[in-house]
Amino acid sequence: MAQVKEGEPFVGFHTFRPFLLEYAMMSELREVERRRIPGMYVIPSATSALVWFGVLIVRSGYYTGGVFKFILIASEGHPHSGVVPVIIFQPPVFHPLVDMVTGQMNCNVSFRKWRSHSNSLAELLEFIKDAFYQITTLEAVNPEASSIYASSKDNFKQRAAESVQFCRSR
């Protein structure tokens, strides 16, 4: 076993942490590419392995023709931190699970706590895609969208179409 002399820096596990994190995120990206999620496109940021830029293209349903840009931000300790990555739509989308001020999507419906052995970013991206095809108002963060969806599907369809047009113009 190698001895560390006093005054010499110790090269330990923490030294390799950024590389392990980058490798984990690259593995997650390979899984996303392997799954070929319809209408979902992501690319990692050039400056941080923890940030991905994405586009969701919706082909049917209330959000037909939607082209929605989002940012995925994983926590510093991903995937072992237990923290669900943050999804932020830019601009915000009129949807029960998307906060209209911040653009942040509430993913708690499917992901209460991130479990590295059973959750993946590919599953999270599938959840995002599915949320635009199968609307849920459980744990809604946009009460207006939730209320309109519950009371008038025609009105909701109109508001979703307006959101599609707004997002496409950005």
Side-chain angles (χ1 to χ4, degrees):
M1 184 172 197
Q3 296 292 321
V4 177
K5 295 180 185 174
E6 188 174 332
E8 289 183 8
F10 174 71
V11 178
F13 177 77
H14 66 279
T15 305
F16 300 103
R17 185 179 209 133
F19 300 106
L20 294 172
L21 175 63
E22 191 167 333
Y23 179 77
M25 294 301 287
M26 288 172 51
S27 295
E28 294 262 23
L29 184 60
R30 278 196 305 275
E31 176 63 17
V32 169
E33 291 170 348
R34 187 188 70 71
R35 287 198 189 185
R36 298 181 182 181
I37 303 166
M40 182 66 73
Y41 305 92
V42 292
I43 186 168
S45 165
T47 59
S48 173
L50 296 171
V51 178
W52 291 2
F53 300 102
V55 174
L56 172 63
I57 300 171
V58 181
R59 295 186 171 94
S60 63
Y62 292 108
Y63 295 93
T64 299
V67 178
F68 303 118
K69 299 174 199 164
F70 64 90
I71 299 173
L72 181 153
I73 305 168
S75 68
E76 190 67 39
H78 185 81
H80 305 290
S81 65
V83 178
V84 178
V86 174
I87 304 298
I88 301 173
F89 283 91
Q90 295 180 327
V93 180
F94 183 78
H95 188 285
L97 297 181
V98 178
D99 185 293
M100 285 303 292
V101 175
T102 65
Q104 185 169 337
M105 183 175 209
N106 181 4
C107 299
N108 288 343
V109 174
S110 288
F111 301 94
R112 294 253 176 243
K113 181 177 179 177
W114 196 259
R115 292 177 175 80
S116 61
H117 61 279
S118 62
N119 297 135
S120 71
L121 294 180
E123 288 177 339
L124 179 60
L125 294 172
E126 288 270 6
F127 165 78
I128 295 165
K129 176 191 68 91
D130 291 347
F132 282 84
Y133 289 93
Q134 300 163 357
I135 309 301
T136 182
T137 57
L138 293 174
E139 299 194 38
V141 292
N142 182 337
E144 180 185 13
S146 178
S147 174
I148 292 172
Y149 182 76
S151 64
S152 172
K153 301 295 189 273
D154 289 336
N155 194 9
F156 184 82
K157 183 177 182 177
Q158 178 184 343
R159 293 293 298 274
E162 291 169 4
S163 189
V164 165
Q165 291 306 314
F166 180 74
C167 291
R168 287 182 66 115
S169 69
R170 298 282 168 154

